[in-house]
Amino acid sequence: DTAVSQTPKYLVTQMGNDKSIKCEQNLGHDTMYWYKQDSKKFLKIMFSYNNKELIINETVPNRFSPKSPDKAHLNLHINSLELGDSAVYFCASSRVLAPAYEQYFGPGTRLTVT
Amino acid sequence: GENVEQHPSTLSVQEGDSAVIKCTYSDSASNYFPWYKQELGKRPQLIIDIRSNVGEKKDQRIAVTLNKTAKHFSLHITETQPEDSAVYFCAASIEAAGNKLTFGGGTRVLVKP
């Protein structure tokens, strides 16, 4: 059984398009995250939701819009895609906000913008 | 905000030898320090973590040490095996601030048989 799943696994699209990535966790966790891993493997948090409430919103272009319809799902919509958006996007979840617990990562979505 | 630096960026060791990765952090309020392992093309997975009220933690061949005064923590892998080859990330967070993990730049470890 997959704990944190993401769709799609690969996404190839052209500049200017709009795309979405979906994430689901079946661990019963309250908190979910989006991370971006660039070509140099650097991992950086983008957003975090706790019980559907946005609690972390890093300096991310407003072309990126997360949405959490319920505790088990966190989606990421990206408008007007740019070349620099090419990266691997990881969704993660953790049990609660505090105390800090392990964050379980999804398999990642490799986004390539051409 | 928090800044985490990680060294070295690459590390090559002979099978059976030890590997040590070091991280420093900038925010003295950080109190949770996990280490993640990422194999090629896979997701990051937690291998060990430590909280600021503990100076050392060990789990089989893996150990982590924390020096709060100097604001640095280290990962030690003993008796390395080829399956230890991966990218390792340290991270730091303030538990009361949304468990926001700030990651180091990663260390690519290659264990040569």
Side-chain angles (χ1 to χ4, degrees), chain A residues 7-8 10-22 34 63-66 75-82 85 89 109-113:
Chain A
T7 54
Y10 300 97
L11 188 51
V12 181
T13 188
Q14 292 183 328
M15 286 174 56
N17 285 348
D18 303 338
K19 290 294 179 185
S20 291
I21 306 171
K22 295 186 176 183
W34 278 113
R63 298 182 294 104
F64 290 80
S65 53
N75 304 323
L76 183 65
H77 188 76
I78 316 170
N79 289 326
S80 304
L81 278 155
E82 301 177 357
D85 297 332
Y89 292 84
T109 296
R110 182 174 295 276
L111 171 65
T112 303
V113 182

Side-chain angles (χ1 to χ4, degrees), chain A residues 9 25 40 52 58 66-67 69 75 82 94 99 106 113:
Chain A
K9 188 168 176 62
Q25 54 93 4
K40 295 184 178 179
K52 302 193 298 175
E58 289 295 283
K67 186 170 286 187
N75 304 323
E82 301 177 357
S94 65
V113 182

